[in-house]
Each structure stands twice: as structure tokens, then as C-alpha cells.
């Protein structure tokens, strides 16, 4: 025990003296959180809309206003005819065009919605799909509003105008803000990188400069060495977790619905994975860069197949099955669940069990390989 | 196993048929060796002769392919953990932490060998005084000149007062004055009762040893007191002796016209 403390203390002395390391520990989380949270947004904003208004009534103008006050669309301008509209779409000046036909207001008064023409640039499927959805919703809402007014004016038309408007509601992230979904995932990314890479690099550094050999002629056992080398990074990972979570909660206003204790428990299981990966990388690497790239290589797979960007459910079946073996996926699900849904332990027992199993496997293999290396 | 060497309480290192192979290559070939306590034993040989491999086996860093060796009376095949507590080791590569203060390095190695805080303080004070490091206590190790780094490495290897010190080319790359000073330290250490087992490339250093062995291709080709060896082979200096025994097929052989 005393030996382990000696190693841990030495490790902290080195870390605190290393300006680059300190920068990495403090600056990387901030930079990543901000860049990812803002850049990897899948929210719809600033869709370029061009329109032509043949109706020229107050109702048609209301519809146009509704688009631009929604916050999702920016105006490219009003065209004089459909041809002009099409050319703007072709040139890429507009993403979506709106054509309000003559008789739009009349039609609503008569109780039916005339055909409002929407043409969508389909090159970017996610933008066009959701852009269209938003546009249709605005048109429907406007129509409903107008009809409601008419109904109040002419109660006798009541039965004729009765319609059912479907409403979809999203739970947990009601505004479907990608930020809320992304930020907890970035916290996962962060502690993976910090704990995995730094551990790998710190162990290989000893190999690189020859101190590992010096330690092997001292009474330090491989287990003491592993403990001494990984414990500092457990502290740092938790510092990172707390730091990033606080930014997430207080700056990005991400809800934190779940239990801190559950998060800590999950993080401990997950650290087995990342520290094990770092240690494994160190057994096959001779220099720090090698260790860094080895960790990064596996981490990249883990992240891509974790549901970080794309839901794992959308992947081909056999890849989807493989993601069960991906510890990053389970931790990602746990973290998103704790932040956004307030899951309790009983909700995530399978993820916990898999994380525990995979973590033990990875860390165990790392320890065995490390001991063999020093034989 | 101890029967042969139960009488050997005054032997610091014993090797019997010690062999180590790497694939087809036999780095150490049936090595026989006895080193007495308190000796400064020079372990000489050209590059690749097997010196470092032998030392690494004595220190428990490598397992022998066959044969056995005893360090401080303990067999290396079974007691390498106990041996590690009794020896100090300084490798040919400077292997302390460059990013620690020199005091922190000494502290760390003291801790690793299980010394108490008080013992460490005491050891640092007396060792640093002896090695002339006291003034630089709070210096970053990377800022020390190589000669001082080697003194620090020696200090760290001796924090736990080992009975046996293995020095693998401790003076490589150091200027003659620093080498001379380092050897004064080695003498002092031996006078305090420790055995020093040292490899070197510098033949003038070999003259300072109480006994030397010369290794070639994994085998010892000469063993004895420097003066006697020179007389026996009819050479003036250790350098000539070394060239005579090793040089022809060794690294220096290439440049021979």
C-alpha cells in the first residue's frame, strides 16, 4: 500500500509539472464541449426559404410571416413567379420554396385548404426531410388558426369544418434539441480520451525513457505498478466528469434528472474499460505516440458504434448485434439516461451488467498481458 | 542447490553454467563466475559480448535459459523478489525521472524500497552531501549535467543501502574528470562494505577494479587481478590486453588493415 502511494504521489508530481498535460486536462473538455455542442448540432436553423405570393391577402401574408417568425427559416426574398422560384432553387439560393396560389384565403373561408406548393431541395436528406416537416406544420397551424376564426364567426359551419390535427409529442427532450442529446455523450467521449490515452501514454513513457526497467529491479510488483499508474487517472477522470457535467448543467442548461451516485458507479465500471485499454495499448507500444494512436484507433470504433452520432438501431442487423460488445455504447446509454431521463438502477441493469463484464474482461486481459511483458 | 555454495557466505555473486538464449543466439554461454564480498569487480567485454544480459539475469530482469546464479546467497530462479531488496542497479541508460526534482527522485526510490519518511530524509541528507548534490536538491533533474545525473542515479540506487551494487556502464558519455570523480565514489562505496559489480568500456577504469573478467561471445576468456592478467598475457595496459583477447573478431577488428 505504501508503495502504491509512493507511485501515485510521484505520478501527480509529474502531471502537475507537465504544462501540456495540465492544458489537456483543463482545456480539452472545454474546447470539446463547446465545439461539439455547437457544431455537431442536428437542429434545423436558417433554412433558406423563397416564396411567391399569388394570393396577396392578409391571410397569405400571415402565412409568410409565420414562416419567418418561426426561427427555422430565413428569407431569400419574394419571387414574382414560379419560374424565378425554381431558378433560385436550382442555384442553391433557396433550400425550400413556397408557392401560395390565388384563392388561398378564399379556400379556407370555404372550409378547405387549397394546395400550397412546397418544393424542397432534396440533396441534404436530413435538412430537406425536417425542413419539409416544419414547413408543413406551419402551414397546417396557420390553416387551423384561420379556420378557428371562421368557426367563431360562422358557428353554423361547425360540422363542416371539423378536422383532427395529429399532434406528436416528444418526451425527455421535448424540443428535440440535439444539444441535450449530444452534451452528455461528449462527457463520455471526454473521459474516454483523457483516461484511456493518458494512462497509455504515462505507462509507455516509463518504457520509453527506461525507468520501467529501473522499477523492475526494485521490489515494486507489477500489480503495485499498475495500481500506482492508474489511480491518478481515476482521480483525473472523475475531476473531468465533474467539470464537464457542471459545464453541461450550468452552461448548456442540460437537465440532470438522475442520481449522481448512479453516475459515479457507472463511471467506475467504465473506467475499467478505458484504463484497461490504455494499459493494453502500452503493452504493444514502444513510444507514446504509438500508445496514443492505438487507444485512439479503438476509441474511434467504440464511439462510431456507440450511438454517439447515429442511433445504433439504424445500423445493419449484424453491426447492431456487435454494438452489444461495445462498452462505449452502454456507458453512453447510461449517461444519456441519467442526464435526460433520470433512469434508476433497475432501468439499466443490462447495460450495467454488460459494462461490468466487458470492463473486467478488458482490464483483466491488460493486467495479464502487462505481467507477461515484464517476465 | 545451496549445497555447493553453503560455504559461500562471503560470495556476493556466483554463476554456475548460467546460459541465456534469444532464439538461436546464445547471449550468455555457460557462464562460471564467483565474486567475493567487498570486491570491485570489473565485468568487461565488447558490445554484444553478453555483459548486460548477464547483469539483467543477476538483477532478476531476465530468466536464465539454463543454469543458476546466486546473488547474496539467494538463487535467482526462486528468490528474485528478495534479491531486489538487497541490490542496487544502475543501467547504462539514464533512467530516472527527468521531470522530477532531484530530491523527488530520491524520495521516490526511497519510498519504493519501503524506507520510512525519516530514513529517507536521513539518507538524502548524507548521500547528497557525499555526492555533492545538496545544493541542487530543488533542481529539475533534466537540468542537471550528465555527470551529476549519474551521481543522482547512484544515490537513488543506494537509498536502501544495498549490499551489492550492479553498475552497467555507469560512466558512458561522461568527461574524464567526471568519470574520475565517479570512480572515487565507487571506491568509497566499496570501502563501506558493499560489493560493486561494474561493466565498462573504458579500459583505464578496468585498472581501478580489484578483479576483472573479460567476456567474448557469451563466454569469459580471462579472469583475475588486472596486474596479473597483464603479466600473464605480456601486455603493458588493460587496453592492449583487451584488444589482444577480444579485439580481433570484436568491433575494433573491422578497421584493421
Amino acid at each position: 500500500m505504501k508503495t502504491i502511494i509512493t507511485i501515485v504521489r510521484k505520478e501527480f508530481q509529474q502531471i502537475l509539472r507537465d504544462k501540456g498535460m495540465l492544458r489537456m486536462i483543463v482545456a480539452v473538455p472545454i474546447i470539446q464541449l463547446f465545439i461539439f455542442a455547437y457544431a455537431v448540432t442536428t437542429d434545423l436553423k436558417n433554412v433558406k426559404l423563397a416564396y411567391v405570393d399569388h394570393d396577396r391577402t392578409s391571410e397569405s401574408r400571415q402565412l409568410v410571416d409565420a414562416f419567418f417568425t418561426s426561427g427555422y427559416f430565413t428569407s431569400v426574398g419574394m419571387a414574382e413567379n414560379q419560374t424565378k422560384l425554381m431558378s433560385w432553387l436550382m442555384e442553391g439560393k433557396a433550400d425550400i420554396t413556397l408557392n401560395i396560389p390565388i384563392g388561398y384565403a378564399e379556400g379556407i373561408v370555404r372550409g378547405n385548404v387549397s394546395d400550397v406548393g412546397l418544393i424542397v431541395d432534396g440533396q441534404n436528406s436530413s435538412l430537406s426531410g425536417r425542413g419539409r416537416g416544419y414547413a408543413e406544420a406551419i402551414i397546417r397551424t396557420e390553416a387551423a388558426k384561420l379556420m378557428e376564426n371562421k368557426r367563431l364567426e360562422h358557428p353554423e359551419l361547425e360540422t363542416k369544418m371539423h378536422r383532427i390535427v395529429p399532434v406528436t409529442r416528444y418526451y425527455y427532450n421535448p424540443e428535440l434539441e440535439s444539444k441535450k442529446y449530444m452534451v452528455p455523450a461528449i462527457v463520455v467521449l471526454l473521459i474516454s480520451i483523457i483516461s484511456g490515452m493518458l494512462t497509455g501514454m504515462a505507462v509507455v513513457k516509463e518504457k520509453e525513457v527506461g525507468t520501467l526497467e529501473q522499477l523492475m529491479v526494485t521490489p515494486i510488483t507489477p500489480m503495485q505498478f499498475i495500481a500506482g499508474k492508474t489511480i491518478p487517472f481515476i482521480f483525473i477522470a472523475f475531476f473531468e466528469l465533474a467539470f464537464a457535467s457542471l459545464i453541461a448543467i450550468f452552461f448548456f442548461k442540460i437537465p440532470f434528472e438522475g442520481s449522481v451516485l448512479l453516475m459515479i458507479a457507472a463511471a467506475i465500471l467504465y473506467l475499467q474499460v478505458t484504463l484497461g485499454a490504455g494499459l493494453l495499448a502500452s503493452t504493444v507500444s514502444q513510444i507514446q505516440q504509438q500508445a496514443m494512436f492505438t487507444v485512439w484507433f479503438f476509441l474511434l470504433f467504440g464511439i462510431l458504434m456507440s450511438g454517439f452520432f447515429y442511433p445504433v438501431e439504424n445500423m445493419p442487423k449484424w453491426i447492431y448485434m456487435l454494438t452489444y460488445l461495445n462498452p462505449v455504447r452502454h456507458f453512453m446509454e447510461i449517461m444519456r439516461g441519467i442526464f435526460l431521463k433520470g433512469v434508476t438502477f433497475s432501468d439499466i441493469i443490462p447495460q450495467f451488467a454488460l459494462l461490468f463484464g466487458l470492463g473486467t474482461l478488458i482490464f483483466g486481459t491488460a493486467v495479464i498481458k502487462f505481467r507477461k511483458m515484464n517476465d | 542447490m545451496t549445497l555447493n555454495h553453503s560455504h559461500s557466505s562471503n560470495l556476493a555473486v556466483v554463476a554456475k553454467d548460467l546460459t541465456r538464449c534469444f532464439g538461436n543466439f546464445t547471449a550468455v554461454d555457460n557462464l562460471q563466475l564467483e565474486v567475493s564480498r567487498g570486491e570491485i569487480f570489473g565485468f568487461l567485454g565488447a558490445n554484444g559480448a553478453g555483459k548486460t544480459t548477464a547483469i539483467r539475469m543477476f538483477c532478476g530482469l531476465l530468466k536464465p535459459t539454463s543454469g543458476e546464479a546466486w546473488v547474496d546467497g539467494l538463487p535467482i530462479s526462486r528468490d528474485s523478489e528478495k534479491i531486489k531488496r538487497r541490490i542496487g542497479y544502475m543501467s547504462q541508460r539514464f533512467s530516472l525521472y527527468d521531470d522530477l526534482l532531484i530530491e523527488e527522485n530520491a524520495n521516490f526510490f526511497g519510498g519504493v524500497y519501503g524506507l520510512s519518511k525519516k530514513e529517507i530524509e536521513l539518507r538524502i541528507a548524507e548521500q547528497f552531501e557525499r555526492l555533492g548534490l545538496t545544493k541542487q536538491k530543488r533542481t529539475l533533474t533534466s537540468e542537471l549535467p550528465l555527470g551529476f545525473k549519474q551521481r543522482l542515479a547512484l544515490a537513488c540506487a543506494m537509498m536502501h543501502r544495498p549490499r551489492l551494487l550492479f553498475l552497467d556502464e555507469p560512466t558512458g558519455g561522461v568527461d574524464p574528470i567526471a568519470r574520475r570523480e565517479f570512480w572515487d565514489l565507487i571506491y568509497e562505496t566499496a570501502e563501506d562494505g558493499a560489493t560493486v559489480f561494474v561493466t565498462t568500456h573504458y579500459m583505464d577504469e578496468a585498472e581501478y577494479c580489484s578483479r576483472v573478467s573479460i567476456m567474448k561471445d557469451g563466454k569469459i576468456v580471462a579472469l583475475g587481478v588486472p596486474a596479473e592478467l597483464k603479466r600473464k598475457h605480456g601486455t603493458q595496459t588493460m587496453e592492449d590486453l583487451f584488444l589482444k583477447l577480444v579485439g580481433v573478431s570484436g568491433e575494433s577488428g573491422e578497421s584493421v588493415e
Side-chain angles (χ1 to χ4, degrees):
Chain A
M1 198 58 213
K2 221 181 109 192
T3 311
I4 295 174
I5 293 169
T6 304
I7 305 174
V8 171
R9 195 183 52 204
K10 180 221 82 176
E11 211 62 34
F12 273 119
Q13 283 168 343
Q14 287 181 297
I15 293 167
L16 293 177
R17 197 156 287 139
D18 187 344
K19 296 277 174 334
M21 189 85 113
L22 284 179
R23 263 198 292 273
M24 202 157 154
I25 291 169
V26 180
V28 166
I30 299 180
I31 293 169
Q32 284 201 336
L33 271 171
F34 281 77
I35 289 181
F36 274 110
Y38 287 119
V40 193
T41 171
T42 48
D43 291 341
L44 204 58
K45 251 179 223 155
N46 302 326
V47 178
K48 292 174 282 178
L49 177 82
Y51 67 97
V52 55
D53 181 0
H54 293 300
D55 199 40
R56 294 178 186 275
T57 55
S58 67
E59 286 86 349
S60 70
R61 267 192 301 278
Q62 247 176 51
L63 177 63
V64 172
D65 285 346
F67 268 91
F68 297 127
T69 50
S70 69
Y72 303 119
F73 298 93
T74 53
S75 174
V76 177
M78 187 169 102
E80 51 274 20
N81 53 40
Q82 179 68 18
T83 325
K84 188 83 193 159
L85 221 46
M86 286 311 290
S87 72
W88 282 352
L89 196 70
M90 290 289 275
E91 289 159 21
K93 270 175 82 176
D95 298 318
I96 293 186
T97 66
L98 170 75
N99 185 334
I100 306 174
I102 296 175
Y104 165 75
E106 270 295 298
I108 286 166
V109 173
R110 281 201 309 273
N112 54 357
V113 183
S114 4
D115 292 326
V116 172
L118 266 185
I119 300 176
V120 179
D121 179 351
Q123 287 182 81
N124 179 340
S125 66
S126 117
L127 177 116
S128 55
R130 264 158 341 125
R132 181 184 144 217
Y134 283 37
E136 284 178 355
I138 291 172
I139 294 169
R140 236 183 292 126
T141 316
E142 278 308 300
K145 250 195 253 166
L146 287 176
M147 278 193 270
E148 180 69 18
N149 291 344
K150 284 292 156 214
R151 196 170 57 90
L152 293 175
E153 285 170 29
H154 308 278
E156 73 279 5
L157 294 174
E158 173 96 53
T159 44
K160 214 175 159 190
M161 289 171 67
H162 187 77
R163 313 173 67 210
I164 294 167
V165 181
V167 178
T168 315
R169 235 181 271 157
Y170 294 93
Y171 276 25
Y172 311 130
N173 184 2
E175 303 86 24
L176 270 188
E177 246 184 284
S178 67
K179 211 167 64 185
K180 288 201 176 140
Y181 196 58
M182 291 306 286
V183 169
I186 297 160
V187 177
V188 172
L189 190 71
L190 264 175
I191 57 172
S192 310
I193 293 177
I194 294 283
S195 59
M197 276 197 190
L198 295 191
T199 308
M201 286 166 72
V203 175
V204 174
K205 191 177 171 195
E206 302 249 1
K207 235 189 198 178
E208 206 179 309
V209 299
T211 43
L212 185 62
E213 180 173 295
Q214 188 69 44
L215 294 185
M216 288 305 138
V217 294
T218 69
I220 292 181
T221 64
M223 285 313 286
Q224 286 171 331
F225 179 76
I226 290 172
K229 275 314 245 199
T230 51
I231 288 170
F233 295 104
I234 295 176
F235 280 110
I236 290 171
F238 272 103
F239 167 78
E240 219 59 70
L241 183 64
F243 185 45
S245 297
L246 289 176
I247 296 180
I249 295 164
F250 291 105
F251 186 84
F252 289 107
K253 309 279 183 235
I254 309 294
F256 189 89
E257 309 283 354
S259 125
V260 176
L261 270 177
L262 195 62
M263 183 162 103
I264 291 173
I268 288 172
L269 293 187
Y270 184 64
L271 282 177
Q272 276 207 90
V273 174
T274 56
L275 298 176
L279 202 57
L280 261 181
S282 76
T283 60
V284 296
S285 310
Q286 296 308 320
I287 56 169
Q288 292 185 69
Q289 282 91 332
Q290 235 178 324
M292 207 172 91
F293 282 116
T294 311
V295 173
W296 180 237
F297 176 80
F298 288 105
L299 206 55
L300 198 62
F301 274 111
I303 291 165
L304 285 176
M305 310 230 311
S306 69
F308 181 67
F309 297 109
Y310 316 104
V312 286
E313 288 81 3
N314 288 2
M315 295 174 181
K317 182 86 178 163
W318 65 277
I319 293 185
Y320 174 72
M321 296 311 285
L322 277 180
T323 63
Y324 277 102
L325 299 176
N326 179 5
V328 188
R329 177 196 156 180
H330 304 306
F331 189 52
M332 190 88 68
E333 280 174 5
I334 293 172
M335 287 291 278
R336 277 176 173 157
I338 290 175
F339 264 99
L340 304 177
K341 281 199 259 185
V343 289
T344 55
F345 179 64
S346 57
D347 298 323
I348 46 172
I349 289 173
Q351 283 93 335
F352 251 81
L354 281 161
L355 204 54
F356 176 74
L358 291 165
T360 311
L361 185 75
I362 293 173
F363 197 77
T365 313
V367 169
I368 292 168
K369 276 213 75 171
F370 186 82
R371 299 183 67 157
K372 235 182 226 154
M373 179 183 85
N374 290 297
D375 250 4
Chain B
M1 241 175 287
T2 39
L3 23 138
N4 281 339
H5 303 282
S6 51
H7 67 284
S8 65
S9 55
N10 59 341
L11 290 178
V13 180
V14 177
K16 201 161 182 298
D17 308 328
L18 191 67
T19 302
R20 171 72 202 205
C21 305
F22 296 103
N24 288 329
F25 173 67
T26 309
V28 173
D29 191 358
N30 271 300
L31 185 75
Q32 319 290 339
L33 190 67
E34 288 190 352
V35 176
S36 308
R37 287 189 199 287
E39 269 195 287
I40 299 177
F41 187 82
F43 200 50
L44 315 179
N47 280 337
K51 295 169 298 182
T52 298
T53 306
I55 286 205
R56 288 169 60 90
M57 283 193 280
F58 294 141
C59 295
L61 286 169
L62 266 181
K63 293 224 176 341
T65 309
S66 63
E68 181 62 287
W70 289 262
V71 172
D72 203 29
L74 299 168
I76 59 169
S77 57
R78 280 190 292 125
D79 283 333
S80 63
E81 293 313 309
K82 272 189 206 154
I83 291 172
K84 284 174 183 174
R85 297 189 173 275
R86 302 193 187 178
I87 61 168
Y89 171 71
M90 188 180 151
S91 79
Q92 47 189 305
R93 251 169 106 186
F94 175 73
S95 47
L96 297 180
Y97 299 98
D98 259 337
D99 46 0
L100 292 185
L101 303 181
I102 74 167
E103 186 183 46
E104 288 169 345
N105 260 310
N107 246 311
F108 172 69
F109 281 96
V112 159
Y113 282 105
L115 304 190
S116 71
K117 221 178 144 192
K118 222 172 161 188
E119 279 175 301
I120 293 175
E121 267 171 33
L122 207 79
R123 266 316 257 169
I124 288 183
E126 69 183 44
Q127 286 258 85
F128 280 21
E129 186 59 48
R130 187 168 78 92
L131 303 181
L133 291 169
T134 311
K135 264 199 223 149
Q136 283 100 325
K137 239 163 112 167
R138 307 285 305 164
T139 308
L140 202 58
T141 305
S142 59
E143 287 165 8
L144 282 179
L146 190 59
F148 276 88
K149 280 187 181 178
Q150 259 136 343
R151 290 183 197 194
L152 176 61
L154 186 66
C156 289
M158 290 178 37
M159 283 299 287
H160 58 305
R161 300 176 197 276
R163 306 157 65 117
L164 180 53
L165 203 53
F166 287 99
L167 309 175
D168 193 1
E169 287 178 25
T171 55
V174 181
D175 67 71
I177 299 165
R179 283 210 283 137
R180 180 71 238 197
E181 284 170 355
F182 194 86
W183 271 87
D184 288 341
L185 294 172
I186 293 179
Y187 272 122
E188 279 177 37
T189 308
E191 273 163 27
D192 290 344
T195 310
V196 181
F197 192 103
V198 57
T199 77
T200 179
H201 265 335
Y202 301 107
M203 287 307 129
D204 57 325
E205 291 185 351
E207 311 265 5
Y208 310 145
C209 298
S210 43
R211 270 195 325 145
V212 299
S213 71
I214 299 179
M215 246 181 131
K216 188 187 172 182
D217 300 334
K219 288 194 173 80
I220 288 180
V221 291
L223 177 71
V225 178
E228 280 173 18
L229 283 178
K230 280 186 285 187
R231 200 169 53 235
K232 194 173 143 198
H233 292 273
T235 56
Q236 286 294 307
T237 59
M238 282 301 289
E239 180 120 25
D240 293 338
L241 174 72
F242 187 81
L243 287 174
K244 190 174 172 190
L245 293 174
V246 175
V248 187
S249 65
E251 49 181 353
S252 48
E254 285 173 8
S255 59
V256 172
E257 177 50 49

